[in-house]
Amino acid sequence: GMHHLEIAWVRSVRVSDKTCAEIKATAETYGVTLSIHAPYYINLNSQTAELMEKSDARLLAAARKGHRAGARDIVFHPGSYHNQPADHVYEQMKEKLLELRQILDDEGVDVILRPETMGKPAVFGSLDETLQLSRDIPGVLPCIDFAHLHARTGEMNTYEEFAGIFSAVENALGRDGLENLHAHMSGIEYGPRGENNHLPLNEADFRYRDLLQAIVDFDVRGSIAVEAPEPFHDADALMLQATYRRLQTLSADDAE
C-alpha cells in the first residue's frame, strides 16, 4: 500500500542503464513514485579540487542514473562548514549547485535536486539555508528531514513548530513549495551535538502525530520517506500512513 520509494544509493552509484530501465518500468507498473538518496560523500564545500571533482561526480551520477530510473527527486547531504563562516559557505554551495544544475539542464536531466536539512549544527543544512538555496536556484527544492531538524536544535517537535516550518516553506517558495514537498521522517536519538542515529518511532520522543496534523491542516502534498532502521521502516511507514488517513477523515468530518 505504499506509494513512494526512496532508493538508497548512499555508498555509490553502481547501476546499469538496463537496471535503471527495469526500475522505471516496475515503478510505473505499480504506481510508485521514486526518489534517489545520493551518496553520503557529497560535499559542495570540499576543500581541495580533487575532493570537489569526486563530489561533483557523485551527485551528477545519482541525478543521471536516477533520471533514467524514473526518479524525480535527488536527495543529497550538502556538506560541511569546515569551520568557515556560514554566509561564506552558503555562497560556495550556491555557486557549485548552480554549476551542477546547469550541467544537468544542458543534458536534459529533468530532476529536482534536493539538499537535505541536516541533524548536526556543525554541518550545513538548516531549514533557512535549504530554503534559501531553493529560492536562489531554479530546479532546487528542499528535502525536509523533520527528525534532523529536531535533533539539530532539540526543538522543532510541537504542532506550533511544525506549523512554523510549513509557513516558512510557503513564505519562501509559495504554495508550490507545499504542494511539492519531499520529506524524511523517523524517530531520532540526539545529544548536545545533534543527531546520533535514527530510531523507530516508538523508541523516540518525536511527536509524529502533531506533525501529521500540521500536514493535514496545511494541506501539504508530496512524498515522505521513512528512515527508521530495518526492519522497523515498513511498520513505521504503515503506521504513519494509517494515522495520516485517520487525521484526514477527522478533519473532513469537522469541516462538515
Side-chain angles (χ1 to χ4, degrees):
M2 297 290 102
H3 302 121
H4 184 82
L5 173 67
E6 184 150 300
I7 300 174
W9 291 340
V10 295
R11 303 297 175 190
S12 62
V13 181
R14 296 180 181 176
V15 58
S16 68
D17 287 352
K18 179 176 181 293
T19 298
C20 286
E22 291 170 350
I23 292 170
K24 182 177 181 179
T26 303
E28 290 173 349
T29 296
Y30 291 97
V32 174
T33 59
L34 300 174
S35 56
I36 303 296
H37 198 308
Y40 292 137
Y41 313 108
I42 291 165
N43 185 350
L44 301 185
N45 189 38
S46 294
Q47 297 299 287
T48 70
E50 180 183 5
L51 290 174
M52 185 64 80
E53 184 177 349
K54 291 179 178 179
S55 176
D56 292 354
R58 292 180 182 114
L59 184 52
L60 291 171
R64 289 163 176 154
K65 293 291 189 178
H67 178 58
R68 290 177 183 141
R72 176 68 170 163
D73 301 297
I74 311 299
V75 177
F76 65 97
H77 296 176
S80 174
Y81 292 119
H82 290 300
N83 296 315
Q84 297 169 321
D87 57 348
H88 169 77
V89 174
Y90 178 83
E91 291 302 320
Q92 294 289 109
M93 298 271 185
K94 176 183 171 183
E95 291 306 311
K96 175 52 66 175
L97 203 47
L98 280 166
E99 174 190 331
L100 297 176
R101 180 72 268 177
Q102 188 62 57
I103 291 170
L104 294 173
D105 289 345
D106 290 345
E107 295 177 0
V109 179
D110 184 18
V111 295
I112 298 172
L113 298 179
R114 290 191 179 264
E116 184 176 343
T117 58
M118 299 303 294
K120 293 180 182 288
V123 299
F124 184 96
S126 69
L127 178 64
D128 287 345
E129 288 168 335
T130 55
L131 288 177
Q132 186 66 45
L133 283 175
S134 303
R135 211 167 26 224
D136 287 348
I137 307 172
V140 172
L141 287 173
C143 171
I144 299 181
D145 189 310
F146 293 102
H148 281 171
L149 289 179
H150 176 39
R152 191 178 181 95
T153 63
E155 300 176 350
M156 298 289 190
N157 198 32
T158 66
Y159 175 86
E160 292 74 19
E161 288 169 320
F162 296 136
I165 291 171
F166 295 132
S167 293
V169 171
E170 187 166 20
N171 288 338
L173 306 174
R175 180 66 203 169
D176 186 61
L178 292 182
E179 293 188 352
N180 292 280
L181 193 81
H182 184 71
H184 292 168
M185 196 184 300
S186 72
I188 199 161
E189 179 185 333
Y190 59 95
R193 296 183 179 180
E195 172 193 11
N196 290 327
N197 55 272
H198 289 267
L199 294 173
L201 285 166
N202 66 2
E203 295 180 18
D205 68 352
F206 189 68
R207 298 173 65 174
Y208 64 87
R209 191 183 186 283
D210 286 356
L211 172 54
L212 293 174
Q213 185 65 62
I215 287 173
V216 170
D217 292 346
F218 279 78
D219 194 22
V220 177
R221 309 294 177 86
S223 53
I224 296 175
V226 178
E227 291 193 320
E230 294 187 45
F232 300 98
H233 55 317
D234 292 342
D236 279 3
L238 289 167
M239 185 269 294
L240 288 167
Q241 183 190 66
T243 304
Y244 169 69
R245 289 176 174 170
R246 175 64 174 160
L247 291 173
Q248 277 188 312
T249 299
L250 292 173
S251 178
D253 291 344
D254 288 343
E256 294 176 358

